[in-house]
């Protein structure tokens, strides 16, 4: 098989159509001319050329499409050029679909890749109730209960001390200090205010332990509040395809005339994929016609973009290198996996030989080595969980909750003052 393919190809020049698709193929272009081509599949093509002794000429597809079947039964894109025998081969991470296999031949898959979701960078959450965050609801409730209990116990101890006037000659002042006074002073301790209530020895002991409790509580609250305000927590807008479709926090888009469009368009409307495709049946203008359009849609912060994982990760890495900050991230939902093959003409005499060579490349570990060499790396791409952001200066939004709390207190005080004036007017 190898000898037969080598005999056919030796000394010939074949024309190869290809599209820019990092990390598999990265092109430097001058208009419609390919100046330089690198990437994983260029290593594969060079391996083919060395093994079967041929040279190649690279070209861009005339319509810049991957290839889909049209209403009249013809094909566009690279698939169409190979189908019409205008070129011998089309090179790229082209998804193997049933419709395409009826028109052209594919080699054995050289890679399997999941479809993932490109979204705007995680939304920084600004919570107007951040001042409550250091303690849970149960802790706040318990502190309120303890405050009332301690104030009540102090009042009880002071009142009972009134029966021991010979032992505590100053307890008369305790009798004029009401329960509400003790409760307010106990609350004042939490606010770091001075203690004014009369103290008998039992009250002094209880007050001492209460003050110790408030010191620990205040220190715990302050440290937790500072860390929660200075370190923002970012939440991804969506966490999966199901979450995206059900929440509709973002619209979604993907390439028109692609294998992905075929999958979503022909899925049962009652399934998740069918619901994804229904959006574009209702609003076909939302589909994009190039990868760059898809990325631009995500940067508008209104869309999520579906694509093969490697392409999305490459886009995030490029954007980080250009802008120095994470403006996009990838939701690794892996909601579908596609097989990538090299396109050849139907009945190609060297298909089996190329397939055997691809299997050799995979089994020898060369494919893994080339993927490590060209695969993008970016710290902007992580899990689906919230990520802490670097320390920063506080802004008005961080203190917005406490400002609202202060305004509520000022409003309440004004209402009490108005009520006081009203009742005083009634009495006079």
């Amino acid at each position: 098989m190898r000898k037969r393919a080598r005999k056919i190809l030796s000394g010939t020049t074949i024309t190869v159509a290809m599209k820019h698709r990092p990390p598999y193929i990265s092109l430097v272009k001058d208009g419609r001319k390919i100046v330089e081509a690198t990437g994983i599949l260029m290593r594969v093509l060079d391996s083919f050329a060395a093994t079967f002794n041929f040279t190649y000429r690279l070209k861009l597809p005339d319509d810049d499409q991957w290839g889909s079947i049209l209403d009249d039964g013809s094909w566009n894109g690279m698939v169409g050029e190979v189908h019409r025998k205008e070129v011998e081969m089309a090179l790229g991470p082209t998804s193997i679909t049933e419709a395409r296999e009826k028109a052209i031949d594919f080699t054995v898959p050289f890679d399997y890749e999941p479809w993932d979701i490109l979204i705007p960078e995680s939304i920084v959450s600004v919570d107007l109730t951040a001042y409550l965050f250091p303690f849970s609801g149960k802790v706040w409730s318990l502190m309120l209960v303890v405050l009332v209990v301690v104030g009540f116990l102090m009042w009880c101890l002071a009142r009972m001390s009134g029966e021991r006037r010979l032992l505590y000659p100053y307890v008369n002042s305790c009798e004029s200090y009401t329960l509400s006074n003790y409760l307010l002073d106990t609350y004042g301790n939490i606010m770091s205010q001075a203690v004014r209530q009369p103290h008998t020895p039992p009250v002094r002991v209880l007050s001492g332990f209460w003050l110790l409790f408030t010191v620990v509580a205040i220190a715990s609250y302050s440290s937790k509040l500072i860390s929660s305000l200075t370190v923002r927590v970012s939440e991804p807008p969506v966490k999966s395809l199901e979450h995206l479709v059900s929440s509709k926090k973002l619209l979604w888009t993907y390439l028109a005339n692609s294998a992905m469009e075929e999958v979503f368009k022909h899925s049962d409307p009652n399934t998740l994929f069918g619901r994804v495709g229904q959006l574009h049946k209702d609003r076909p203008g939302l589909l994009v016609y190039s990868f760059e359009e898809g990325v631009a849609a995500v940067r508008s912060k209104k869309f999520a973009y579906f694509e093969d994982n490697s392409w999305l990760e490459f886009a995030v890495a490029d954007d980080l290198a250009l802008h120095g900050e994470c403006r996009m991230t990838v939701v690794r939902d892996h909601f579908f996996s596609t097989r990538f093959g090299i396109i050849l003409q139907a009945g190609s005499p060297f298909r089996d030989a190329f397939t055997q060579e691809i299997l050799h490349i995979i089994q020898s570990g060369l494919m893994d080595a080339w993927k490590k060499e060209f695969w993008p790396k970016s710290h902007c791409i992580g899990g689906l969980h919230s990520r802490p952001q670097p320390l920063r200066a506080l802004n008005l939004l961080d203190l917005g909750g406490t400002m609202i709390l202060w305004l509520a207190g000022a409003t309440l005080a004004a209402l009490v003052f108005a009520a006081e004036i009203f009742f005083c007017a009634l009495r006079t």
Side-chain angles (χ1 to χ4, degrees), residues 83-98:
H83 178 61
R84 295 187 296 271
K85 298 187 177 181
E86 297 171 3
V87 299
E88 288 83 3
M89 179 192 302
L91 196 65
T94 310
S95 301
I96 301 174
T97 66
E98 181 181 1

Side-chain angles (χ1 to χ4, degrees), residues 177-284:
Y177 217 72
T178 64
L179 174 61
S180 61
N181 295 133
Y182 277 100
L183 290 176
L184 288 174
D185 280 350
T186 305
Y187 170 75
N189 295 153
I190 298 180
M191 298 292 104
S192 300
Q193 295 179 2
V195 178
R196 296 182 291 117
Q197 67 261 37
H199 272 33
T200 63
V203 174
R204 188 176 292 114
V205 171
L206 179 58
S207 180
F209 279 96
W210 170 247
L211 290 173
L212 179 61
F213 169 81
T214 59
V215 168
V216 175
I218 292 170
S220 302
Y221 175 85
S222 300
S223 60
K224 192 68 176 179
L225 181 64
I226 291 171
S227 64
S228 66
L229 288 179
T230 55
V231 180
R232 279 182 175 173
V233 176
S234 58
E235 294 284 349
V238 295
K239 300 179 181 179
S240 66
L241 182 64
E242 176 68 40
H243 184 208
L244 173 64
V245 175
S246 60
S247 67
K248 295 185 179 179
K249 290 184 177 180
L250 298 168
L251 294 174
W252 53 88
T253 186
Y254 42 84
L255 281 177
N257 304 320
S258 65
M260 191 173 293
E261 183 186 13
E262 289 183 32
V263 170
F264 293 135
K265 181 190 293 184
H266 301 295
S267 294
D268 187 325
N270 296 320
T271 64
L272 175 60
F273 282 8
R275 289 156 56 199
V276 170
Q278 188 62 45
L279 173 68
H280 301 98
K281 291 178 182 178
D282 299 335
R283 303 172 64 182

Side-chain angles (χ1 to χ4, degrees), residues 284-349:
L286 294 182
L287 290 179
V288 296
Y289 289 85
S290 70
F291 176 72
E292 290 73 20
E293 283 186 50
V295 174
V298 174
R299 287 175 181 158
S300 72
K301 297 186 177 182
K302 298 179 181 178
F303 284 87
Y305 176 57
F306 304 161
E307 191 50 89
D308 301 318
N309 173 267
S310 62
W311 209 347
L312 298 184
E313 295 197 9
F314 213 99
V316 172
D318 279 352
D319 192 73
L320 174 63
L322 183 62
H323 297 280
E325 61 178 344
C326 298
R327 304 196 307 167
M328 301 182 295
T329 191
V330 176
V331 178
R332 287 174 170 160
D333 188 24
H334 296 356
F335 58 86
F336 192 82
S337 289
T338 186
R339 301 172 299 158
F340 290 153
I342 295 174
I343 300 175
L344 300 170
Q345 293 176 3
S348 173

Side-chain angles (χ1 to χ4, degrees), residues 11-84:
T12 64
T13 299
I14 68 173
T15 303
V16 182
M18 60 175 52
K19 280 176 61 66
H20 179 72
R21 168 60 169 87
Y24 295 97
I25 295 177
S26 298
L27 299 179
V28 177
K29 296 179 286 186
D30 182 9
R32 297 289 301 172
K33 182 181 179 182
I34 298 176
V35 177
E36 182 182 2
T38 58
I40 298 169
L41 287 180
M42 287 308 301
R43 295 292 180 87
V44 174
L45 182 59
D46 288 338
S47 177
F48 286 173
T51 301
F52 300 104
N53 191 33
F54 67 86
T55 57
Y56 52 81
R57 182 179 70 87
L58 306 179
K59 72 176 291 290
L60 299 171
D62 295 336
D63 57 5
D64 284 324
Q65 300 296 316
W66 290 94
S68 61
I69 192 167
L70 304 178
D71 293 337
D72 60 3
S74 62
W75 286 82
N76 63 4
M78 296 194 301
V79 174
E81 293 184 13
V82 175
H83 178 61
R84 295 187 296 271

Side-chain angles (χ1 to χ4, degrees), residues 94-123:
T94 310
S95 301
I96 301 174
T97 66
E98 181 181 1
R100 286 174 176 172
E101 285 196 298
K102 291 178 180 179
I104 45 87
D105 277 350
F106 280 100
T107 63
V108 68
F110 60 81
D111 202 4
Y112 296 80
E113 193 165 329
W115 290 348
D116 285 326
I117 309 170
L118 184 68
I119 59 173
E121 176 54 292
S122 302
I123 299 172

Side-chain angles (χ1 to χ4, degrees), residues 311-418:
W311 209 347
L312 298 184
E313 295 197 9
F314 213 99
V316 172
D318 279 352
D319 192 73
L320 174 63
L322 183 62
H323 297 280
E325 61 178 344
C326 298
R327 304 196 307 167
M328 301 182 295
T329 191
V330 176
V331 178
R332 287 174 170 160
D333 188 24
H334 296 356
F335 58 86
F336 192 82
S337 289
T338 186
R339 301 172 299 158
F340 290 153
I342 295 174
I343 300 175
L344 300 170
Q345 293 176 3
S348 173
F350 40 84
R351 174 188 177 277
D352 292 339
F354 280 6
T355 287
Q356 191 175 39
E357 184 67 15
I358 288 174
L359 292 174
H360 174 72
I361 289 172
I362 293 172
Q363 292 172 5
S364 66
L366 281 173
M367 183 62 75
D368 286 338
W370 293 338
K371 288 178 73 172
K372 288 180 181 178
E373 179 182 353
F374 292 102
W375 208 266
K377 299 177 179 64
S378 173
H379 70 266
C380 297
I381 304 169
L384 301 181
H385 304 291
S386 303
R387 297 202 302 270
Q389 301 297 322
L391 290 176
R392 59 183 178 79
L394 299 182
N395 55 40
L396 288 177
L397 287 177
D398 296 316
L399 301 178
T402 52
M403 293 297 293
I404 291 175
L405 186 65
W406 176 81
L407 288 174
T411 303
L412 181 61
L415 292 175
V416 172
F417 176 73

